[in-house]
Amino acid sequence: MKSSLYPPVSLPNLLLAIVLVVTSFVLLSATIHRSSYLPSVPSVEPPPERAWPMVWASYSNEPPEPKYFQEAGNTLEMSHYDIRFFQGVIPYSQHREVLQHLIRSYLSIMASLKMETWIAHGTLLGWWWNGRIMPWDYDLDVQVSLHTMEHMAKQFNQTLHEWRYTTDEGGEGVHEIKKTYLLDVNPNYSEMKRRQGMNVIDARWVDVDTGMFVDITALAERNPVLEPGIWSCKNFHQYRTHNIWPLKETRFEGVKAKVPLDHERILVAEYGEKSLVLTEWEG
């Protein structure tokens, strides 16, 4: 009898081999089955901002979130015009004057209406440096408490406000200019969560001649039980009560204004320590 080329197979080894073969087959079948339902993912640019509600809805049970405020476009410049009043891009040489009267009118009229508000974000950084808007800014940012936002919504939503000022530009001598601004409150302002990020701006102060605007966001204690004294907006900027109040009275662009009490700490947290040192931005 010839000797076998293979060692004798014991029953336990045979059973183990069968189990391994069956397991490998099941895993391979599952992989083929799963991959057959995965579409190929091409390398493409991220969808524009307004497509994100649909993308979000495809991965969650939430329906797409309608965006209340609509801008004239998706570029940095065009995103700072309200599409309802957009008449064309303001030349760089003129846009600062438009922003100046936007913030002057807002701060002055809010004070006359006894509504507490303060400047924030990049606008606050401009105040810290020289009490004026940064030359490269496209937008203006202010904040209010949720209580003040509720008052805005109930008493002044969709109201038009007149602002008059004098100028001697244009070679016509001193003459008066009349401007009109719209206070528009987002109906989603009371939503405590960010959701899909389409309504993080709670209200706007809009120049009806140009479409440029001031962004107004509300701070609220969003979790007063577990995080008392922590205030935030829907864009995840967080502050402690003593960082904001009592507000400090000052001036900005020549009119009375208010800023948070701990403004330097807030600016460093948002923009880094270099923001209070560097004197140039992108050259």
Side-chain angles (χ1 to χ4, degrees), residues 20-186:
L20 290 175
V21 170
V22 172
T23 303
S24 300
F25 177 76
V26 171
L27 291 176
L28 179 61
S29 298
T31 301
I32 295 172
H33 177 74
R34 184 168 60 252
S35 63
S36 66
Y37 287 92
L38 290 177
S40 60
V41 182
S43 176
V44 296
E45 291 295 320
E49 180 185 359
R50 292 173 190 174
W52 277 115
M54 296 301 296
V55 174
W56 177 274
S58 67
Y59 287 95
S60 71
N61 294 324
E62 290 189 31
E65 179 186 11
K67 189 175 188 294
Y68 179 70
F69 290 118
Q70 299 290 331
E71 294 76 39
N74 291 322
T75 65
L76 176 62
E77 185 174 34
M78 297 296 285
S79 65
H80 291 100
Y81 293 90
D82 187 302
I83 195 170
R84 296 170 294 182
F85 306 103
F86 179 64
Q87 301 294 325
V89 174
I90 304 298
Y92 180 78
S93 61
Q94 300 174 21
H95 91 283
R96 183 165 180 165
E97 181 183 357
V98 175
L99 293 178
Q100 285 174 329
H101 290 295
L102 265 166
I103 196 64
R104 288 170 180 169
S105 61
Y106 171 81
L107 293 172
S108 300
I109 292 174
M110 291 302 105
S112 70
L113 297 176
K114 309 298 182 185
M115 288 196 285
E116 183 181 72
T117 186
W118 58 95
I119 55 181
H121 308 315
T123 309
L124 181 63
L125 186 60
W127 166 83
W128 189 90
W129 274 98
N130 58 8
R132 304 189 69 183
I133 299 166
M134 292 289 196
W136 49 78
D137 270 350
Y138 282 94
D139 63 348
L140 297 160
D141 292 290
V142 298
Q143 293 174 329
V144 299
S145 68
L146 182 60
H147 176 75
T148 297
M149 183 62 66
E150 290 171 347
H151 184 57
M152 278 187 180
K154 293 177 181 178
Q155 300 296 327
F156 299 104
N157 188 25
Q158 295 286 318
T159 55
L160 294 171
H161 301 265
E162 191 175 275
W163 170 253
R164 296 173 182 266
Y165 64 96
T166 58
T167 180
D168 57 0
E169 295 181 358
E172 302 176 1
V174 177
H175 58 285
E176 186 179 68
I177 302 293
K178 182 178 73 173
K179 297 279 293 180
T180 302
Y181 298 96
L182 168 69
L183 179 58
D184 193 4
V185 178
N186 188 332

